[in-house]
Amino acid sequence: RAYATSERERMTRELLLQLKLGEVESEPFRRKFGVDVLQAFAPALAGLSRRGLLALEGGTIRLTREGLVRVDSMLPELYEPAFRGGRYT
């Protein structure tokens, strides 16, 4: 009855939850999922960085002060295209 998530969806969910804490280290993702999270989400991360919402420092994604304030509104940019723009009420 529950939606069975893919490996990519589980990785995305973990990334989103960690971003809410303000910082994500890429190496644990490489160990757990075998993926470079910085490459997997490169376009979205670059766009968020250009808008001053996060900084990419080595293997770390760190939200700026503005990013921390707006974290919930920026997370959909990291969703898979099929899940963007949905309403869940």
Side-chain angles (χ1 to χ4, degrees):
R1 297 182 68 157
Y3 176 75
T5 57
S6 69
E7 185 81 356
R8 172 69 183 219
E9 290 166 337
R10 288 187 294 277
M11 179 180 63
T12 301
R13 183 175 191 274
E14 189 160 328
L15 174 62
L16 299 177
L17 291 172
Q18 287 188 29
L19 275 173
K20 287 181 170 237
L21 298 174
E23 185 175 298
V24 177
E25 296 289 335
S26 63
E27 188 54 36
F29 279 85
R30 187 181 328 276
R31 287 192 307 268
K32 185 172 183 175
F33 297 103
V35 173
D36 181 350
V37 73
L38 300 175
Q39 290 296 321
F41 294 92
L45 294 173
L48 294 168
S49 178
R50 278 192 301 276
R51 293 187 356 244
L53 300 173
L54 60 81
L56 302 171
E57 301 167 0
T60 303
I61 303 166
R62 185 169 290 117
L63 294 184
T64 63
R65 185 173 185 84
E66 181 68 19
L68 285 168
V69 171
R70 298 180 50 204
V71 67
D72 288 326
S73 67
M74 66 185 241
L75 293 180
E77 295 183 42
L78 299 165
Y79 297 170
E80 291 294 315
F83 299 111
R84 292 183 194 151
R87 273 186 56 120
Y88 304 98
T89 58

